[in-house]
């Protein structure tokens, strides 16, 4: 079975072709237009998707060496995300599938990040989690601990009540004057810094929920005070600041993971989403897992950020269930 996956929820236009669980192509057009604004500008994102979508799909089909008439279904991100961006992918999927006379499959972006763990990219065999497992999904828009009972049944055990972990990275980076997106910049700097150089309060919410907005505020006030004494403070302490803020975010994330594992008794833990590229988070989870006897599933770097292969694999599972969408389907911007 050949499935075309389409992802357009934020600032990456992506198309992928899967043969069952196997990736034949996974093409991503990133949008540089947002960089000078220090964040994604929704209106510009929709326009760029509109320009990119046709060429990206053409390249994906070409790389997969298949003709569009060989496709069995088109899977697309229905939400959550930026509505104008989602509309481009959704409208494209509907009309393309209608023209070909094949079904469409609506995919939830967050579930897709998780199901990426079942992809086969031909490089190594079969180390997939088994149901049920836990997944820490950490991206620019979301932070959740999910109990994954099957490809279609996922229970959110805890989530952020304000900023996402990726936003915490991006906002801290912005305060330090680093370019957008700031997560990878903090990650790079942190490698040569001391994570215990500065301490910031790690807020603790009840249950398995998170809150990251307090960290941003305390980081802002801390730097404001230090800059009054020394206007070169950030420049002189860049690496230590990055390492310390990263350390705090990781500590907050993993405290709740540990608690979720204790509460559910499920000892398989997966990472997903853009922030799962963070090298400090990967190492800290591996260390904690080794100490506690958990089994970890950490995605390859190229599959951590938004891509259409994850939409394709989520579509594959729905295809098996016969779970197709109607032509009247509309996108949703917020998690459901
Ligand atoms: O999943 P994603 O590509 O898009 C969303 O669905 O949000 O995640 C993007 C987020 C951004 O906040 C970015 O700064 C963060 O992932 N990110 C990282 C790293 N690479 C990407 N954060 C920390 N360390 C990284 N290495
Ligand atoms: Zn994402």
């Amino acid at each position: 079975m050949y499935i075309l996956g389409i992802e357009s929820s934020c600032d990456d236009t992506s198309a992928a072709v899967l043969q069952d669980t196997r990736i034949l192509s996974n093409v991503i057009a990133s949008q540089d237009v947002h960089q000078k604004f220090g964040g994604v500008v929704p209106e510009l994102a929709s326009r760029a998707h509109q320009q990119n979508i046709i060429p990206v799909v053409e390249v994906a089909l070409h790389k997969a060496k298949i003709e569009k008439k060989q496709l069995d279904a088109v899977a697309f991100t229905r939400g959550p995300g930026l509505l104008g961006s989602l509309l481009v992918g959704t409208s494209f999927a509907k009309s393309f599938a209608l023209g070909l006379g094949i079904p469409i499959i609506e995919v939830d972006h967050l579930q897709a990040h998780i199901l990426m763990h079942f992809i086969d990219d031909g490089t190594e065999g079969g180390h997939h989690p088994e149901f049920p497992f836990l997944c820490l999904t950490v991206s620019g828009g979301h932070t959740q601990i999910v109990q994954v009972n099957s490809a279609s049944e996922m229970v959110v055990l805890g989530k952020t009540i304000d900023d996402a972990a990726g936003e915490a990275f991006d906002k801290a980076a912005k305060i330090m004057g680093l370019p957008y997106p700031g997560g990878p910049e903090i990650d790079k700097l942190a490698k040569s810094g001391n994570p215990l150089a500065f301490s910031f309060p790690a807020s603790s919410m009840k249950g398995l929920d998170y809150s990251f907005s307090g960290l941003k505020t305390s980081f802002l006030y801390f730097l404001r005070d230090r800059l009054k004494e020394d206007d070169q403070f950030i420049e002189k302490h860049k690496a230590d600041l990055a390492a310390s803020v990263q350390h705090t975010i990781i500590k907050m994330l993993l405290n709740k993971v540990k608690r979720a594992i204790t509460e559910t008794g499920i000892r398989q833990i997966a990472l997903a989403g853009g922030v799962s590229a963070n090298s400090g988070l990967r190492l800290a989870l591996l260390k904690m897992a080794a100490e506690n006897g958990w089994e970890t599933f950490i995605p390859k770097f190229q599959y951590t950020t938004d891509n259409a292969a994850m939409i394709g694999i989520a579509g594959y599972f729905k295809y098996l269930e016969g779970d197709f969408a109607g032509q009247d389907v509309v996108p949703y911007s917020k998690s459901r």
Side-chain angles (χ1 to χ4, degrees), residues 109 113 139-141 166-167 169-170 181-184 187 273-275 277-278 304-306:
H109 181 87
H113 268 299
S139 72
E167 263 177 299
F169 273 105
D170 294 341
D187 191 355
V275 181
N278 185 267
T304 56
T305 44
D306 293 346

Side-chain angles (χ1 to χ4, degrees), residues 167-183:
E167 263 177 299
F169 273 105
D170 294 341
K171 286 180 178 174
K174 194 170 185 175
I175 294 169
M176 287 175 65
L178 300 171
Y180 176 86

